[in-house]
Amino acid sequence: MPLSLLSLMLVVFSLTTGEFVIAGILPDVAADLSVSVSAAGLLVAAYAVGMIVGGPVITIATARLARKPLIIGLVAVAVLANLGSAVAPNYAMLLITRGAAGLVVATFFAVAIATAVSTAPPDRQSAAVAKVALGMNLGIILGTPIGTLIGQSFGWRATFATVGVFAAGAVLMVLRFVPVPPVHATGPVLPELRVFANRDVQMAIALTAVGNVGLVMVFSYIAPLLTDVAGFADGAVPILLLVYGVGAVIGNFLGGWMADKSLLPSVAGLLGCLAAALTVMWAVGTDATSVAASTFVIGVFGFAIIPGMQTRVMATASAAPTLAIAVNASGFQLAAAFAGWLGGQVGDSALGLRSIYLVGALLTFAGLVIAVYMVHRDRRPVPAV
């Protein structure tokens, strides 16, 4: 892997760890700050709101800045916010610092992906996206449990301090290895907003939101699905999450390779496979061996769809690719919030917890419908003038 992509991947790893690690240290945070666990759960929402709002706003505000200094500035904000979380004297200040940490993440992901694509040959752009996105996979499967272990051993403040220090080290690598892209003449920001009137851009963003919401819903409730439905012991959950993560890493590279060969058809096929895998998990939900194997499979297909979706957004929004990816990330966060709410409604209903698999499959199928429509739309003959 080129050192430029490795540098960006390590920053993504640190920011992803900072986003998800709160789940592992939530009880410790609540106990130390004398708040309820549900109140501490709002720290997750604060981060998500920061991403949703910060994605388009920060991207528009920084659209005229050179890319490499922008990356440094965005990561600097994230470093300061995580260090601020480590020393926050009370719950209110921690809530503010978590929101501040989320503000810059969507814009950084967008700029990092745009930078990776700009340094890759045309037939390797999806693979470059996959290499940057690998940091997200590793943040979930390695960073989160390591950060949780640090928090349990040295206190939750040490977790956020470690995230901040690691991000600072990674950005030093960015300074050293990420090339300075050529300067392009840029016009006013307002015309870039018109890219969202493009039907293909709208469909690409909708594909990301709808295509991922089913898997996100299942992953949000994976622990009770594994223990209460499949009958695994609590101690088996981290192992199965690691199995899921291994599948995610494999799927990430598989999806990048497939997208470079055939973008939309590969995404459509992978969504069909993911919908089928979730349906199988519903059917075998009480059989521990089958569920363990299926956990690996949905990790593969769930992350294989990401590189192609990101590349499609950039391809359709060539006039404002960074802004489009940032908005795409905000749309994903909205979909994730909806997935968490819907999963709770389904699990508490007469359908039961197991039916989350089936609802997730149906939502994924809706994403497949969008992908098939986009394939058909792309194949329509262009009218002669």
Side-chain angles (χ1 to χ4, degrees):
M1 180 185 295
L3 290 175
S4 60
L5 294 183
L6 176 63
S7 304
L8 295 171
M9 186 204 76
L10 289 176
V11 177
V12 172
F13 167 81
S14 61
L15 297 186
T16 301
T17 300
E19 176 181 1
F20 288 98
V21 76
I22 187 70
I25 58 176
L26 204 61
D28 302 302
V29 173
D32 187 52
L33 298 180
S34 301
V35 298
S36 66
V37 172
S38 59
L42 291 178
L43 297 169
V44 179
Y47 195 100
V49 169
M51 283 192 68
I52 292 168
V53 175
V57 173
I58 301 296
T59 304
I60 291 173
T62 59
R64 307 279 71 85
L65 298 181
R67 190 173 289 167
K68 190 169 181 178
L70 175 58
I71 290 176
I72 306 304
L74 293 171
V75 180
V77 172
V79 168
L80 291 174
N82 278 287
L83 294 179
S85 297
V87 298
N90 51 51
Y91 171 74
M93 187 57 65
L94 184 58
L95 200 65
I96 292 171
T97 57
R98 297 320 298 152
L103 274 175
V104 299
V105 172
T107 301
F108 171 78
F109 284 173
V111 175
I113 289 172
T115 302
V117 169
S118 69
T119 59
D123 61 341
R124 298 289 296 163
Q125 292 181 346
S126 294
V129 172
K131 289 174 182 176
V132 174
L134 176 62
M136 186 187 305
N137 307 148
L138 295 177
I140 295 171
I141 66 173
L142 289 179
T144 298
I146 291 173
T148 300
L149 181 62
I150 290 172
Q152 292 173 345
S153 302
F154 304 102
W156 63 268
R157 296 180 185 276
T159 298
F160 289 123
T162 303
V163 169
V165 171
F166 192 93
V171 82
L172 291 177
M173 290 185 64
V174 171
L175 274 170
R176 173 66 178 83
F177 297 113
V178 174
V180 178
V183 178
H184 298 285
T186 55
V189 174
L190 185 59
E192 292 193 0
L193 296 175
R194 293 174 184 158
V195 75
F196 297 107
N198 185 318
R199 181 67 172 171
D200 288 330
V201 175
Q202 295 170 1
M203 296 300 298
I205 293 175
L207 177 63
T208 297
V210 179
N212 283 284
V213 69
L215 180 67
V216 172
M217 183 176 68
V218 171
F219 185 77
S220 298
Y221 292 89
I222 193 68
L225 284 169
L226 292 174
T227 55
D228 298 348
V229 178
F232 285 101
D234 291 342
V237 173
I239 298 173
L240 289 168
L241 288 177
L242 180 60
V243 169
Y244 175 89
V246 171
V249 172
I250 294 172
N252 187 64
F253 286 106
L254 174 66
W257 177 80
M258 292 180 65
D260 280 329
K261 301 296 182 183
S262 181
L263 184 56
L264 275 180
S266 70
V267 173
L270 291 167
L271 281 169
C273 292
L274 178 58
L278 290 171
T279 303
V280 169
M281 287 196 81
W282 168 73
V284 302
T286 57
D287 182 76
T289 302
S290 299
V291 168
S294 298
T295 299
F296 171 79
V297 173
I298 66 168
V300 172
F301 292 128
F303 277 78
I305 62 178
I306 293 176
M309 288 179 172
Q310 296 285 3
T311 304
R312 176 66 179 186
V313 171
M314 290 197 65
T316 56
S318 57
T322 304
L323 177 59
I325 293 176
V327 172
N328 195 48
S330 295
F332 177 85
Q333 288 296 320
L334 284 172
F338 171 74
W341 172 83
L342 181 60
Q345 298 299 307
V346 172
D348 291 340
S349 71
L351 296 173
L353 197 62
R354 181 177 174 181
S355 60
I356 288 177
Y357 290 129
L358 188 57
V359 175
L362 292 173
L363 291 170
T364 304
F365 182 79
L368 172 60
V369 171
I370 295 175
V372 171
Y373 170 75
M374 292 169 67
V375 171
H376 173 72
R377 181 179 173 85
D378 279 4
R379 290 177 178 173
R380 290 183 307 177
V382 179
V385 178

